[in-house]
């Protein structure tokens, strides 16, 4: 019996927990379908999150004639992007250290700069989309505060910051260590030993994605469709010279030149050779209010760190509600690996999250209810995806990852997946890279080398999987 890390993630469940990001839903695209599925398409994109949006945006932008359909198993943007933490947050100091150890100094610098570029890239798209999208999506720059609650971790952050500033002299001073008193006086965080303050972004991701999808449909109505509640049941390749791919759905089939897999934690359902290489992981989110607490500061986001425990939060600039997620130690993260269902809550993580903000901030916990407000507004789960070598897979799918004939530049299957819980600082530009690759453009100057899905990388990942397959403990270690 294969263990849980190599099982079929399946299609998204039909009865997910209700994400607060998706209230109210965007009725313009929520359950949108064509009266009949298109018979043929140049490109079929599977998944309507931020990766699927990015691929669609860039392909339609670069061509006046290309035809494209986006399929989703559920409502539009009801998966990971519509369930995340709302942060466009490159943990630059920590990520440089992580990737330096994995891939060396120069590659780590390129990965961090790639992640940092996402806020500007998304804001550029929004400026083109217009003021209505800008207002509804709340994409904004924020101060990122990491509150650290043990001396050992604080010392590690001080060393990481020194290494970071040495590698990024142009960014020196943009991240800084703050002592206990500084956190208390300026940022209203109590009991922490100290912290790291830097820059990041935040957004209402569901409104961003669904709003721009609606725009794309309006502007490209004769060559672009959104097909909600239309799961891809299978993908096969035929000898047809024009449209070799057949995508089967409960509503019929679409023949396509290209198929693009943007389904993150569910990618390995239609790509069984990726099971154990791309592994889903469930995460917990909540929305909370305080009787007494932080002022309404939509210009801040927080991370709360104690040893291997991480919580993260952003504040709605309009209502003051705080979106807070995490509640997992490494043991908790390991327990969530292999779980692709967002239909259940994580009881232990939720129990922690309901208490962490009153403990971290200077909050009077005696009065938990505020007039016309609930202490706990909502809670839900979402599905992330970890890769076996800790970076996304971006590119054309090679034969070793397929149980059907592989394609070539003119007609192929493509993938962008495996963001490890940091999709908002990876997915948009990975989707752009994929779109550029599909049209034969060179992205090597800005896409980090380890992200490329090559035959060599595929074989290396398969060797790693063979090595760790017999030990769930080693498999988990490779994923986290």
């Amino acid at each position: 019996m294969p263990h849980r890390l190599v099982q079929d993630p399946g299609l998204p469940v039909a009865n997910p927990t209700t994400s607060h990001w998706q209230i109210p839903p965007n009725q313009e695209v929520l359950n949108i379908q064509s009266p009949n599925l298109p018979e043929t398409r140049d490109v079929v994109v599977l998944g309507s999150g931020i990766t699927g949006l990015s691929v669609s945006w860039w392909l339609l932008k670069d061509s006046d004639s290309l035809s494209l359909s986006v399929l989703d198993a559920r409502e539009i943007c009801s998966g990971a992007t519509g369930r995340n933490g709302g942060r466009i947050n490159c943990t630059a100091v920590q990520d440089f250290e992580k990737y330096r150890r994995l891939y060396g100094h120069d590659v780590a610098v390129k990965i961090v700069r790639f992640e940092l570029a996402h806020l500007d890239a998304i804001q550029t798209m929004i400026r083109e989309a217009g003021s209505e999208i800008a207002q509804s999506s709340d994409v904004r720059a924020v101060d990122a505060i990491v509150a650290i609650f043990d001396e050992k971790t604080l010392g590690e952050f001080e060393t990481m910051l020194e290494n970071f500033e040495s590698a990024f002299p142009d960014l020196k001073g943009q991240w800084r260590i703050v002592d206990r008193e500084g956190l208390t006086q300026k940022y209203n965080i109590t009991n922490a030993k100290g912290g790291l303050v830097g820059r990041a972004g935040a957004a209402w991701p569901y409104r961003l994605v669904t709003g721009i999808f609606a725009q794309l449909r309006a502007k490209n109505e004769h060559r672009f469709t959104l097909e909600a509640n239309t799961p891809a049941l299978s993908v096969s390749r035929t000898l047809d010279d024009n449209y070799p791919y057949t995508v089967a759905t409960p509503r019929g089939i679409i023949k396509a030149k290209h198929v693009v897999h943007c389904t993150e934690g569910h990618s390995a359902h239609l790509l069984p050779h990726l099971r154990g290489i791309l592994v889903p992981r469930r995460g917990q989110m909540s929305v909370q209010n305080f009787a007494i607490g932080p002022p309404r500061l939509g210009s801040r986001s927080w991370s709360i760190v104690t040893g291997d425990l991480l919580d993260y939060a952003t504040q709605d600039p309009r209502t003051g509600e705080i979106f807070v997620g995490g509640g997992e130690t490494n043991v908790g993260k390991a327990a969530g690996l292999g779980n692709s269902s967002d239909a259940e809550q994580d009881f232990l993580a939720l129990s922690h999250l309901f208490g962490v903000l009153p403990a971290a901030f200077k909050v009077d916990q005696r009065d938990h209810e505020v007039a016309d407000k609930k202490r706990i507004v909502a809670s839900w789960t979402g599905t992330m995806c970890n890769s076996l070598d800790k970076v996304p897979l971006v590119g054309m799918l090679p034969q070793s990852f397929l149980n059907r004939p592989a394609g070539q530049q003119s007609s192929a299957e493509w993938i962008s997946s495996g963001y490890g819980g940091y999709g908002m600082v990876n997915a948009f530009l990975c989707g752009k890279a994929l779109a550029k690759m599909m049209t034969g453009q060179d992205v090597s100057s800005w896409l980090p080398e380890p992200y490329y899905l090559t035959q060599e990388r595929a074989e290396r990942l398969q060797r790693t999987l063979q090595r760790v397959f017999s030990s769930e403990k080693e498999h988990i270690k490779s994923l986290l």
Side-chain angles (χ1 to χ4, degrees), residues 186-227:
K186 185 171 183 179
Y187 300 107
N188 208 47
I189 297 173
T190 189
N191 299 322
K193 302 299 182 182
L196 177 73
V197 177
R199 60 183 177 88
W204 196 292
Y206 174 80
R207 293 177 184 169
L208 168 67
V209 170
T210 58
I212 294 183
F213 264 138
Q215 268 198 8
L216 289 178
R217 178 175 173 269
K219 291 179 179 178
N220 303 279
E221 58 181 337
H222 299 300
R223 62 190 184 107
F224 175 70
T225 68
L226 293 167
E227 309 292 348

mmCIF file of all heavy atoms in Angstrom, residues 186-227:
data_model
loop_
_atom_site.group_PDB
_atom_site.id
_atom_site.type_symbol
_atom_site.label_atom_id
_atom_site.label_comp_id
_atom_site.label_asym_id
_atom_site.label_seq_id
_atom_site.Cartn_x
_atom_site.Cartn_y
_atom_site.Cartn_z
ATOM 1 N N LYS A 186 6.227 50.591 18.953
ATOM 2 C CA LYS A 186 5.811 50.986 17.611
ATOM 3 C C LYS A 186 4.817 50.018 16.995
ATOM 4 O O LYS A 186 3.918 50.436 16.247
ATOM 5 C CB LYS A 186 7.031 51.128 16.696
ATOM 6 C CG LYS A 186 6.677 51.653 15.309
ATOM 7 C CD LYS A 186 7.902 51.993 14.484
ATOM 8 C CE LYS A 186 7.499 52.574 13.137
ATOM 9 N NZ LYS A 186 8.668 52.954 12.309
ATOM 10 N N TYR A 187 4.967 48.719 17.304
ATOM 11 C CA TYR A 187 4.168 47.720 16.599
ATOM 12 C C TYR A 187 3.174 46.993 17.500
ATOM 13 O O TYR A 187 2.501 46.067 17.059
ATOM 14 C CB TYR A 187 5.096 46.713 15.908
ATOM 15 C CG TYR A 187 6.000 47.374 14.901
ATOM 16 C CD1 TYR A 187 7.363 47.551 15.156
ATOM 17 C CD2 TYR A 187 5.489 47.866 13.700
ATOM 18 C CE1 TYR A 187 8.197 48.166 14.235
ATOM 19 C CE2 TYR A 187 6.318 48.493 12.777
ATOM 20 C CZ TYR A 187 7.673 48.633 13.053
ATOM 21 O OH TYR A 187 8.478 49.255 12.146
ATOM 22 N N ASN A 188 3.107 47.393 18.785
ATOM 23 C CA ASN A 188 2.067 46.894 19.690
ATOM 24 C C ASN A 188 2.165 45.390 19.959
ATOM 25 O O ASN A 188 1.180 44.741 20.292
ATOM 26 C CB ASN A 188 0.676 47.219 19.121
ATOM 27 C CG ASN A 188 -0.365 47.378 20.201
ATOM 28 O OD1 ASN A 188 -0.107 48.068 21.190
ATOM 29 N ND2 ASN A 188 -1.504 46.751 20.045
ATOM 30 N N ILE A 189 3.361 44.837 19.794
ATOM 31 C CA ILE A 189 3.570 43.407 20.044
ATOM 32 C C ILE A 189 4.287 43.264 21.381
ATOM 33 O O ILE A 189 5.335 43.863 21.612
ATOM 34 C CB ILE A 189 4.401 42.763 18.926
ATOM 35 C CG1 ILE A 189 3.635 42.845 17.593
ATOM 36 C CG2 ILE A 189 4.720 41.311 19.250
ATOM 37 C CD1 ILE A 189 4.440 42.399 16.399
ATOM 38 N N THR A 190 3.735 42.442 22.241
ATOM 39 C CA THR A 190 4.308 42.258 23.566
ATOM 40 C C THR A 190 4.874 40.850 23.710
ATOM 41 O O THR A 190 4.531 39.956 22.939
ATOM 42 C CB THR A 190 3.241 42.511 24.654
ATOM 43 O OG1 THR A 190 3.870 42.519 25.927
ATOM 44 C CG2 THR A 190 2.155 41.456 24.627
ATOM 45 N N ASN A 191 5.770 40.678 24.652
ATOM 46 C CA ASN A 191 6.362 39.376 25.006
ATOM 47 C C ASN A 191 7.403 38.864 24.011
ATOM 48 O O ASN A 191 8.085 37.879 24.303
ATOM 49 C CB ASN A 191 5.281 38.290 25.173
ATOM 50 C CG ASN A 191 4.305 38.622 26.273
ATOM 51 O OD1 ASN A 191 4.704 39.163 27.307
ATOM 52 N ND2 ASN A 191 3.031 38.317 26.058
ATOM 53 N N ALA A 192 7.559 39.489 22.861
ATOM 54 C CA ALA A 192 8.563 39.032 21.904
ATOM 55 C C ALA A 192 9.962 39.437 22.371
ATOM 56 O O ALA A 192 10.141 40.432 23.080
ATOM 57 C CB ALA A 192 8.293 39.609 20.521
ATOM 58 N N LYS A 193 10.964 38.661 21.982
ATOM 59 C CA LYS A 193 12.355 38.989 22.300
ATOM 60 C C LYS A 193 12.906 40.069 21.381
ATOM 61 O O LYS A 193 13.849 40.786 21.714
ATOM 62 C CB LYS A 193 13.217 37.734 22.177
ATOM 63 C CG LYS A 193 12.773 36.579 23.073
ATOM 64 C CD LYS A 193 12.818 36.945 24.540
ATOM 65 C CE LYS A 193 12.431 35.763 25.409
ATOM 66 N NZ LYS A 193 12.418 36.107 26.850
ATOM 67 N N GLY A 194 12.330 40.164 20.207
ATOM 68 C CA GLY A 194 12.766 41.117 19.199
ATOM 69 C C GLY A 194 12.117 40.738 17.890
ATOM 70 O O GLY A 194 11.210 39.895 17.849
ATOM 71 N N GLY A 195 12.569 41.378 16.807
ATOM 72 C CA GLY A 195 11.948 41.049 15.530
ATOM 73 C C GLY A 195 12.724 41.570 14.349
ATOM 74 O O GLY A 195 13.750 42.262 14.495
ATOM 75 N N LEU A 196 12.218 41.245 13.184
ATOM 76 C CA LEU A 196 12.774 41.699 11.909
ATOM 77 C C LEU A 196 11.685 42.482 11.198
ATOM 78 O O LEU A 196 10.573 41.991 11.026
ATOM 79 C CB LEU A 196 13.208 40.511 11.061
ATOM 80 C CG LEU A 196 13.738 40.814 9.659
ATOM 81 C CD1 LEU A 196 15.138 41.434 9.741
ATOM 82 C CD2 LEU A 196 13.766 39.550 8.804
ATOM 83 N N VAL A 197 11.991 43.711 10.775
ATOM 84 C CA VAL A 197 11.028 44.544 10.070
ATOM 85 C C VAL A 197 11.552 44.804 8.664
ATOM 86 O O VAL A 197 12.716 45.177 8.486
ATOM 87 C CB VAL A 197 10.791 45.875 10.813
ATOM 88 C CG1 VAL A 197 9.846 46.775 10.024
ATOM 89 C CG2 VAL A 197 10.221 45.606 12.198
ATOM 90 N N GLY A 198 10.698 44.588 7.669
ATOM 91 C CA GLY A 198 11.086 44.794 6.281
ATOM 92 C C GLY A 198 9.899 45.236 5.456
ATOM 93 O O GLY A 198 8.985 45.885 5.957
ATOM 94 N N ARG A 199 9.908 44.866 4.169
ATOM 95 C CA ARG A 199 8.832 45.305 3.274
ATOM 96 C C ARG A 199 8.203 44.101 2.593
ATOM 97 O O ARG A 199 8.836 43.061 2.391
ATOM 98 C CB ARG A 199 9.369 46.270 2.219
ATOM 99 C CG ARG A 199 10.471 45.693 1.311
ATOM 100 C CD ARG A 199 10.969 46.763 0.364
ATOM 101 N NE ARG A 199 12.060 46.353 -0.496
ATOM 102 C CZ ARG A 199 11.894 45.763 -1.681
ATOM 103 N NH1 ARG A 199 10.683 45.506 -2.127
ATOM 104 N NH2 ARG A 199 12.942 45.451 -2.413
ATOM 105 N N ALA A 200 6.933 44.246 2.237
ATOM 106 C CA ALA A 200 6.199 43.171 1.571
ATOM 107 C C ALA A 200 4.969 43.784 0.912
ATOM 108 O O ALA A 200 4.845 45.006 0.773
ATOM 109 C CB ALA A 200 5.810 42.072 2.571
ATOM 110 N N GLY A 201 4.037 42.927 0.515
ATOM 111 C CA GLY A 201 2.791 43.387 -0.074
ATOM 112 C C GLY A 201 1.629 42.592 0.492
ATOM 113 O O GLY A 201 1.811 41.580 1.175
ATOM 114 N N ALA A 202 0.420 43.057 0.213
ATOM 115 C CA ALA A 202 -0.781 42.351 0.637
ATOM 116 C C ALA A 202 -1.856 42.585 -0.411
ATOM 117 O O ALA A 202 -1.760 43.505 -1.239
ATOM 118 C CB ALA A 202 -1.245 42.829 2.012
ATOM 119 N N ALA A 203 -2.917 41.760 -0.376
ATOM 120 C CA ALA A 203 -3.952 41.842 -1.401
ATOM 121 C C ALA A 203 -5.194 41.091 -0.950
ATOM 122 O O ALA A 203 -5.172 40.347 0.036
ATOM 123 C CB ALA A 203 -3.450 41.247 -2.719
ATOM 124 N N TRP A 204 -6.281 41.305 -1.695
ATOM 125 C CA TRP A 204 -7.474 40.453 -1.612
ATOM 126 C C TRP A 204 -7.417 39.588 -2.869
ATOM 127 O O TRP A 204 -7.954 39.953 -3.915
ATOM 128 C CB TRP A 204 -8.748 41.300 -1.585
ATOM 129 C CG TRP A 204 -9.949 40.547 -1.117
ATOM 130 C CD1 TRP A 204 -10.574 39.530 -1.766
ATOM 131 C CD2 TRP A 204 -10.671 40.749 0.112
ATOM 132 N NE1 TRP A 204 -11.639 39.065 -1.033
ATOM 133 C CE2 TRP A 204 -11.727 39.807 0.128
ATOM 134 C CE3 TRP A 204 -10.537 41.623 1.175
ATOM 135 C CZ2 TRP A 204 -12.643 39.720 1.179
ATOM 136 C CZ3 TRP A 204 -11.447 41.537 2.223
ATOM 137 C CH2 TRP A 204 -12.483 40.599 2.221
ATOM 138 N N PRO A 205 -6.764 38.422 -2.810
ATOM 139 C CA PRO A 205 -6.427 37.676 -4.028
ATOM 140 C C PRO A 205 -7.632 37.246 -4.862
ATOM 141 O O PRO A 205 -7.577 37.281 -6.100
ATOM 142 C CB PRO A 205 -5.661 36.464 -3.489
ATOM 143 C CG PRO A 205 -5.183 36.874 -2.143
ATOM 144 C CD PRO A 205 -6.229 37.792 -1.605
ATOM 145 N N TYR A 206 -8.706 36.835 -4.208
ATOM 146 C CA TYR A 206 -9.887 36.380 -4.950
ATOM 147 C C TYR A 206 -10.447 37.492 -5.827
ATOM 148 O O TYR A 206 -10.767 37.277 -7.010
ATOM 149 C CB TYR A 206 -10.949 35.886 -3.961
ATOM 150 C CG TYR A 206 -12.264 35.521 -4.609
ATOM 151 C CD1 TYR A 206 -12.438 34.301 -5.255
ATOM 152 C CD2 TYR A 206 -13.343 36.409 -4.562
ATOM 153 C CE1 TYR A 206 -13.652 33.974 -5.849
ATOM 154 C CE2 TYR A 206 -14.558 36.082 -5.155
ATOM 155 C CZ TYR A 206 -14.712 34.859 -5.799
ATOM 156 O OH TYR A 206 -15.911 34.540 -6.388
ATOM 157 N N ARG A 207 -10.574 38.693 -5.281
ATOM 158 C CA ARG A 207 -11.099 39.809 -6.066
ATOM 159 C C ARG A 207 -10.153 40.167 -7.203
ATOM 160 O O ARG A 207 -10.592 40.541 -8.303
ATOM 161 C CB ARG A 207 -11.330 41.021 -5.173
ATOM 162 C CG ARG A 207 -12.447 40.835 -4.152
ATOM 163 C CD ARG A 207 -12.547 42.066 -3.265
ATOM 164 N NE ARG A 207 -13.528 41.898 -2.208
ATOM 165 C CZ ARG A 207 -13.662 42.722 -1.182
ATOM 166 N NH1 ARG A 207 -12.853 43.783 -1.074
ATOM 167 N NH2 ARG A 207 -14.573 42.514 -0.252
ATOM 168 N N LEU A 208 -8.859 40.098 -6.941
ATOM 169 C CA LEU A 208 -7.867 40.374 -7.979
ATOM 170 C C LEU A 208 -8.035 39.428 -9.161
ATOM 171 O O LEU A 208 -8.155 39.852 -10.318
ATOM 172 C CB LEU A 208 -6.459 40.232 -7.385
ATOM 173 C CG LEU A 208 -5.289 40.210 -8.368
ATOM 174 C CD1 LEU A 208 -5.132 41.556 -9.047
ATOM 175 C CD2 LEU A 208 -4.002 39.819 -7.653
ATOM 176 N N VAL A 209 -8.057 38.137 -8.875
ATOM 177 C CA VAL A 209 -8.083 37.130 -9.950
ATOM 178 C C VAL A 209 -9.423 37.138 -10.677
ATOM 179 O O VAL A 209 -9.474 37.157 -11.917
ATOM 180 C CB VAL A 209 -7.761 35.737 -9.377
ATOM 181 C CG1 VAL A 209 -8.027 34.648 -10.416
ATOM 182 C CG2 VAL A 209 -6.303 35.686 -8.921
ATOM 183 N N THR A 210 -10.522 37.115 -9.936
ATOM 184 C CA THR A 210 -11.819 37.053 -10.607
ATOM 185 C C THR A 210 -12.121 38.341 -11.364
ATOM 186 O O THR A 210 -12.732 38.302 -12.440
ATOM 187 C CB THR A 210 -12.951 36.763 -9.603
ATOM 188 O OG1 THR A 210 -12.982 37.777 -8.588
ATOM 189 C CG2 THR A 210 -12.764 35.402 -8.956
ATOM 190 N N GLY A 211 -11.684 39.478 -10.831
ATOM 191 C CA GLY A 211 -11.922 40.740 -11.525
ATOM 192 C C GLY A 211 -11.199 40.802 -12.855
ATOM 193 O O GLY A 211 -11.765 41.240 -13.869
ATOM 194 N N ILE A 212 -9.953 40.350 -12.889
ATOM 195 C CA ILE A 212 -9.197 40.414 -14.142
ATOM 196 C C ILE A 212 -9.661 39.328 -15.103
ATOM 197 O O ILE A 212 -9.723 39.553 -16.320
ATOM 198 C CB ILE A 212 -7.690 40.346 -13.858
ATOM 199 C CG1 ILE A 212 -7.267 41.619 -13.098
ATOM 200 C CG2 ILE A 212 -6.899 40.219 -15.160
ATOM 201 C CD1 ILE A 212 -5.803 41.727 -12.811
ATOM 202 N N PHE A 213 -10.047 38.160 -14.592
ATOM 203 C CA PHE A 213 -10.630 37.150 -15.482
ATOM 204 C C PHE A 213 -11.882 37.710 -16.178
ATOM 205 O O PHE A 213 -12.090 37.493 -17.375
ATOM 206 C CB PHE A 213 -10.992 35.887 -14.705
ATOM 207 C CG PHE A 213 -9.949 34.805 -14.756
ATOM 208 C CD1 PHE A 213 -9.636 34.092 -13.617
ATOM 209 C CD2 PHE A 213 -9.296 34.480 -15.934
ATOM 210 C CE1 PHE A 213 -8.686 33.075 -13.641
ATOM 211 C CE2 PHE A 213 -8.342 33.473 -15.984
ATOM 212 C CZ PHE A 213 -8.033 32.773 -14.835
ATOM 213 N N ALA A 214 -12.718 38.418 -15.432
ATOM 214 C CA ALA A 214 -13.923 39.006 -16.034
ATOM 215 C C ALA A 214 -13.555 40.004 -17.127
ATOM 216 O O ALA A 214 -14.202 40.053 -18.185
ATOM 217 C CB ALA A 214 -14.768 39.680 -14.955
ATOM 218 N N GLN A 215 -12.507 40.778 -16.884
ATOM 219 C CA GLN A 215 -12.043 41.722 -17.902
ATOM 220 C C GLN A 215 -11.545 41.007 -19.147
ATOM 221 O O GLN A 215 -11.854 41.400 -20.276
ATOM 222 C CB GLN A 215 -10.919 42.585 -17.338
ATOM 223 C CG GLN A 215 -11.367 43.873 -16.720
ATOM 224 C CD GLN A 215 -10.205 44.857 -16.587
ATOM 225 O OE1 GLN A 215 -9.097 44.645 -17.086
ATOM 226 N NE2 GLN A 215 -10.472 45.954 -15.897
ATOM 227 N N LEU A 216 -10.744 39.970 -18.952
ATOM 228 C CA LEU A 216 -10.217 39.230 -20.100
ATOM 229 C C LEU A 216 -11.345 38.657 -20.940
ATOM 230 O O LEU A 216 -11.284 38.660 -22.180
ATOM 231 C CB LEU A 216 -9.295 38.104 -19.622
ATOM 232 C CG LEU A 216 -7.945 38.511 -19.039
ATOM 233 C CD1 LEU A 216 -7.170 37.281 -18.573
ATOM 234 C CD2 LEU A 216 -7.120 39.292 -20.052
ATOM 235 N N ARG A 217 -12.358 38.154 -20.271
ATOM 236 C CA ARG A 217 -13.496 37.590 -21.002
ATOM 237 C C ARG A 217 -14.208 38.669 -21.809
ATOM 238 O O ARG A 217 -14.573 38.464 -22.975
ATOM 239 C CB ARG A 217 -14.455 36.926 -20.021
ATOM 240 C CG ARG A 217 -15.705 36.344 -20.674
ATOM 241 C CD ARG A 217 -16.554 35.606 -19.659
ATOM 242 N NE ARG A 217 -17.805 35.198 -20.247
ATOM 243 C CZ ARG A 217 -18.915 35.920 -20.228
ATOM 244 N NH1 ARG A 217 -18.914 37.110 -19.632
ATOM 245 N NH2 ARG A 217 -20.032 35.476 -20.784
ATOM 246 N N ALA A 218 -14.417 39.831 -21.202
ATOM 247 C CA ALA A 218 -15.115 40.905 -21.904
ATOM 248 C C ALA A 218 -14.335 41.412 -23.113
ATOM 249 O O ALA A 218 -14.919 41.741 -24.151
ATOM 250 C CB ALA A 218 -15.391 42.052 -20.932
ATOM 251 N N LYS A 219 -13.011 41.449 -22.979
ATOM 252 C CA LYS A 219 -12.179 41.988 -24.056
ATOM 253 C C LYS A 219 -11.885 40.967 -25.160
ATOM 254 O O LYS A 219 -11.499 41.346 -26.267
ATOM 255 C CB LYS A 219 -10.863 42.500 -23.477
ATOM 256 C CG LYS A 219 -10.998 43.733 -22.605
ATOM 257 C CD LYS A 219 -9.645 44.158 -22.046
ATOM 258 C CE LYS A 219 -9.762 45.406 -21.184
ATOM 259 N NZ LYS A 219 -8.455 45.813 -20.600
ATOM 260 N N ASN A 220 -12.026 39.676 -24.830
ATOM 261 C CA ASN A 220 -11.637 38.627 -25.780
ATOM 262 C C ASN A 220 -12.749 37.590 -25.929
ATOM 263 O O ASN A 220 -12.504 36.396 -25.975
ATOM 264 C CB ASN A 220 -10.367 37.934 -25.290
ATOM 265 C CG ASN A 220 -9.206 38.887 -25.077
ATOM 266 O OD1 ASN A 220 -8.517 39.272 -26.012
ATOM 267 N ND2 ASN A 220 -9.000 39.281 -23.822
ATOM 268 N N GLU A 221 -13.993 38.059 -26.022
ATOM 269 C CA GLU A 221 -15.131 37.155 -25.926
ATOM 270 C C GLU A 221 -15.171 36.107 -27.028
ATOM 271 O O GLU A 221 -15.764 35.033 -26.835
ATOM 272 C CB GLU A 221 -16.433 37.953 -25.919
ATOM 273 C CG GLU A 221 -16.640 38.840 -27.135
ATOM 274 C CD GLU A 221 -17.946 39.624 -27.062
ATOM 275 O OE1 GLU A 221 -18.843 39.163 -26.324
ATOM 276 O OE2 GLU A 221 -18.056 40.663 -27.719
ATOM 277 N N HIS A 222 -14.562 36.345 -28.166
ATOM 278 C CA HIS A 222 -14.632 35.384 -29.266
ATOM 279 C C HIS A 222 -13.505 34.348 -29.230
ATOM 280 O O HIS A 222 -13.536 33.380 -29.990
ATOM 281 C CB HIS A 222 -14.599 36.113 -30.620
ATOM 282 C CG HIS A 222 -15.752 37.055 -30.811
ATOM 283 N ND1 HIS A 222 -17.067 36.631 -30.797
ATOM 284 C CD2 HIS A 222 -15.789 38.409 -30.988
ATOM 285 C CE1 HIS A 222 -17.864 37.667 -30.979
ATOM 286 N NE2 HIS A 222 -17.111 38.753 -31.085
ATOM 287 N N ARG A 223 -12.540 34.541 -28.305
ATOM 288 C CA ARG A 223 -11.430 33.590 -28.283
ATOM 289 C C ARG A 223 -11.011 33.170 -26.879
ATOM 290 O O ARG A 223 -10.013 32.477 -26.702
ATOM 291 C CB ARG A 223 -10.220 34.171 -29.021
ATOM 292 C CG ARG A 223 -9.640 35.452 -28.415
ATOM 293 C CD ARG A 223 -8.619 36.074 -29.341
ATOM 294 N NE ARG A 223 -7.959 37.248 -28.760
ATOM 295 C CZ ARG A 223 -6.705 37.265 -28.325
ATOM 296 N NH1 ARG A 223 -5.957 36.174 -28.398
ATOM 297 N NH2 ARG A 223 -6.169 38.370 -27.845
ATOM 298 N N PHE A 224 -11.776 33.589 -25.871
ATOM 299 C CA PHE A 224 -11.427 33.248 -24.495
ATOM 300 C C PHE A 224 -12.686 32.889 -23.720
ATOM 301 O O PHE A 224 -13.673 33.626 -23.735
ATOM 302 C CB PHE A 224 -10.737 34.435 -23.813
ATOM 303 C CG PHE A 224 -10.446 34.216 -22.356
ATOM 304 C CD1 PHE A 224 -9.475 33.303 -21.954
ATOM 305 C CD2 PHE A 224 -11.140 34.917 -21.381
ATOM 306 C CE1 PHE A 224 -9.212 33.096 -20.608
ATOM 307 C CE2 PHE A 224 -10.881 34.728 -20.029
ATOM 308 C CZ PHE A 224 -9.915 33.811 -19.653
ATOM 309 N N THR A 225 -12.663 31.721 -23.062
ATOM 310 C CA THR A 225 -13.799 31.340 -22.228
ATOM 311 C C THR A 225 -13.325 30.848 -20.864
ATOM 312 O O THR A 225 -12.215 30.340 -20.712
ATOM 313 C CB THR A 225 -14.650 30.217 -22.874
ATOM 314 O OG1 THR A 225 -13.895 28.996 -22.901
ATOM 315 C CG2 THR A 225 -15.097 30.589 -24.271
ATOM 316 N N LEU A 226 -14.185 31.039 -19.878
ATOM 317 C CA LEU A 226 -14.010 30.473 -18.545
ATOM 318 C C LEU A 226 -15.047 29.374 -18.378
ATOM 319 O O LEU A 226 -16.237 29.593 -18.649
ATOM 320 C CB LEU A 226 -14.220 31.542 -17.478
ATOM 321 C CG LEU A 226 -13.190 32.668 -17.409
ATOM 322 C CD1 LEU A 226 -13.704 33.798 -16.524
ATOM 323 C CD2 LEU A 226 -11.855 32.158 -16.892
ATOM 324 N N GLU A 227 -14.599 28.208 -17.937
ATOM 325 C CA GLU A 227 -15.492 27.059 -17.801
ATOM 326 C C GLU A 227 -15.433 26.557 -16.362
ATOM 327 O O GLU A 227 -14.591 25.736 -15.993
ATOM 328 C CB GLU A 227 -15.091 25.949 -18.778
ATOM 329 C CG GLU A 227 -14.933 26.396 -20.237
ATOM 330 C CD GLU A 227 -16.251 26.809 -20.896
ATOM 331 O OE1 GLU A 227 -17.314 26.542 -20.307
ATOM 332 O OE2 GLU A 227 -16.212 27.401 -21.999
#
